[in-house]
Amino acid sequence: MSEQPSAAAPAARFQVVLPDESPEMPPRVLTELALRAEGLGADTLWLPDHLLPPEPYGRTFGGVYEPLVTLAHLAARTERVGLGTSVLVAPMRDPFTLAKQAATLHALSGGRFVLGVGVGWSREEFAAVGADFAGRGARTDEVLRLLRHLFEGEGAFRGRFHSYERGVFEPRPASPLPVTVGGTSEPALARAAALADAWQAVGLDAAGFARRRDRLRELAGRPVRAQARIAWSGADADLGPAVDLYRALEQAGADAVAVWFGEWEGFGERMERFAAAVRRSA
């Protein structure tokens, strides 16, 4: 049974999922929105990831601009806000290249990068890039172990899918590079419990979040931050319920709530309206 949250639950950190669903969006919009979000006090900015989706980009397939390259650009334009992937499809990437990119981005951003990973869900996209869809869960687990070894370990790494005997990895992260695992399935929770610093849920109400968070705690036996991701695309009638959901997730124990504000046109105005409504509801 889920424990009852305290009325004095700590405030969830406000995070923003940047729009990256339209090839028509000018690249400068991402920089402008990143700066606006940082000015609003956002804790972290997130970008999605797709390499070769089978359908046109949009609500289903975000990730027009490659997230690691884009976040490196945003790191040079921002000063404080965290920068992360929500989520990068780890089993479609070469893990050694990913480790190099993540560690470099962490260094260039002054330790602000958060690597958010998931296993992916589009069988067609995996086939298009020649990746193993059936084994994506096991591959993701090994990628996370390999990255941790490269960042913090010594000597050879011997895995089922990836191994090396000799080699020097740099830049080693000067501060811990946080890893977030996204997903609400039992394997995703087990992955977060065993291999991550944080877990991000998508598409859950407060009760569902609390149940999955409690399961995460059972599996982990150690502190793992529990975070949520929601959407509000601007309908006035839906603003109150969206703010209520944000607050309900906060009361259910979410350490952070990331919000996507719909398509890029009008995104900044909706973000500011939502942030103001959340402040008023405090």
Side-chain angles (χ1 to χ4, degrees):
M1 181 176 179
S2 174
E3 64 187 56
Q4 295 300 311
S6 165
R13 294 185 302 254
F14 172 60
Q15 302 181 338
V16 175
V17 181
L18 292 172
D20 193 16
E21 295 80 31
S22 173
E24 286 72 43
M25 178 184 67
R28 59 174 173 76
V29 170
L30 286 172
T31 301
E32 294 167 355
L33 291 174
L35 292 171
R36 288 175 78 168
E38 185 172 53
L40 288 171
D43 170 78
T44 302
L45 306 176
W46 302 96
L47 278 174
D49 175 51
H50 278 284
L51 293 180
L52 201 61
E55 298 292 340
Y57 285 103
R59 287 175 179 262
T60 300
F61 293 103
V64 172
Y65 291 98
E66 198 283 327
L68 298 176
V69 173
T70 306
L71 292 173
H73 175 72
L74 297 182
R77 299 297 305 274
T78 57
E79 297 179 357
R80 176 202 54 80
V81 69
L83 305 161
T85 51
S86 177
V87 287
L88 185 139
V89 186
M92 287 201 300
R93 303 274 182 144
D94 173 79
F96 294 97
T97 303
L98 174 58
K100 192 77 165 183
Q101 291 172 318
T104 299
L105 180 48
H106 197 57
L108 293 175
S109 66
R112 290 186 285 147
F113 178 58
V114 180
L115 178 61
V117 302
V119 300
W121 55 271
S122 174
R123 184 183 294 273
E124 291 177 87
E125 186 173 16
F126 272 74
V129 300
D132 174 16
F133 183 80
R136 67 195 188 282
R139 288 180 178 273
T140 300
D141 291 346
E142 185 168 298
V143 166
L144 292 178
R145 293 188 179 96
L146 173 58
L147 263 59
R148 190 70 71 189
H149 179 81
L150 291 168
F151 295 159
E152 302 173 4
E154 298 290 344
F157 179 90
R158 299 178 183 88
R160 175 182 170 191
F161 307 106
H162 306 284
S163 301
Y164 71 92
E165 293 297 325
R166 298 177 62 185
V168 176
F169 182 85
E170 292 288 354
R172 297 276 287 252
S175 61
L177 197 166
V179 172
T180 296
V181 164
T184 58
S185 67
E186 184 73 8
L189 291 171
R191 183 169 300 114
L195 301 169
D197 304 287
W199 161 70
Q200 188 183 70
V202 180
L204 296 181
D205 60 15
F209 176 85
R211 287 193 295 270
R212 304 315 284 159
R213 179 215 57 204
D214 289 351
R215 178 59 177 155
L216 175 70
R217 289 177 176 174
E218 291 175 5
L219 292 169
R222 63 183 179 89
V224 178
R225 293 186 299 279
Q227 305 172 156
R229 176 175 160 173
I230 64 174
W232 179 63
S233 57
D236 288 335
D238 295 333
L239 176 58
V243 172
D244 290 344
L245 175 58
Y246 184 101
R247 288 301 187 198
L249 288 165
E250 180 179 66
Q251 288 295 313
D255 298 296
V257 179
V259 189
W260 177 69
F261 297 102
E263 301 294 333
W264 66 274
E265 294 180 297
F267 186 100
E269 290 73 22
R270 292 190 293 273
M271 176 173 64
E272 291 179 352
R273 286 176 59 202
F274 186 91
V278 167
R279 287 194 297 270
R280 288 194 300 269
S281 72

